[in-house]
Amino acid sequence: QVQLRDSGGGLVQAGGSLRLSCAPSGRTFVTYAMGWFRQAPGKEREFVAAISWSGDIAYYADSVKGRFTISRDNAKNTVYLQMNTLKPEDTAVYYCAADRIALRNGLRLREVEYGYWGQGTQVTVSS
């Protein structure tokens, strides 16, 4: 079964940094657009960032723009989310996701466009 393994979460103080990683098992996703979502307690899952399969374009939610950076290393079959200047409101379970279809140009911004999901990694930011 295809799985995405997201990791790198943890507990950090406000203003700190974390880097999340997403690596698939069972197949390669180097030709798939990828994204990160998050879900805070009591809230719906929300879009955080997306990157094209080639890595040449990316898009961010307004709440993380300028603080988070999504990137990918296709040689390592891994996608990253660098999170800087973390705030308590960034506390959530973070999920990586892969497009339903390979080689689609552009970005996927909606959950329904993704076909593969990680199990989630907890990020907790203390004030």
Side-chain angles (χ1 to χ4, degrees):
Q1 171 138 10
V2 175
Q3 290 186 341
L4 294 173
R5 291 175 288 123
D6 30 36
S7 61
L11 173 64
V12 64
Q13 288 188 331
S17 298
L18 284 173
R19 189 177 79 159
L20 306 183
S21 298
C22 175
S25 62
R27 65 182 296 171
T28 177
F29 280 95
V30 296
T31 56
Y32 287 72
M34 302 289 291
W36 287 95
F37 290 75
R38 68 185 181 186
Q39 186 168 21
K43 296 186 177 181
E44 293 187 352
R45 190 156 57 183
E46 64 176 3
F47 168 80
V48 175
I51 189 166
S52 60
W53 71 264
S54 60
D56 59 343
I57 52 173
Y59 186 81
Y60 301 91
D62 287 344
S63 58
V64 306
K65 200 172 296 182
R67 300 188 297 121
F68 290 12
T69 302
I70 187 171
S71 62
R72 65 191 303 158
D73 184 342
N74 283 346
K76 296 182 178 180
N77 201 19
T78 301
V79 175
Y80 303 99
L81 185 68
Q82 178 67 44
M83 306 186 296
N84 298 329
T85 319
L86 282 160
K87 304 176 181 180
E89 50 264 43
D90 294 318
T91 295
V93 177
Y94 284 70
Y95 300 88
C96 69
D99 197 348
R100 291 185 177 277
I101 303 171
L103 295 171
R104 284 205 291 182
N105 289 328
L107 302 166
R108 310 280 84 80
L109 305 185
R110 299 180 300 158
E111 283 191 55
V112 295
E113 297 182 287
Y114 289 89
Y116 306 92
W117 292 85
Q119 80 285 355
T121 184
Q122 176 71 47
V123 172
T124 303
V125 184
S126 63
S127 57

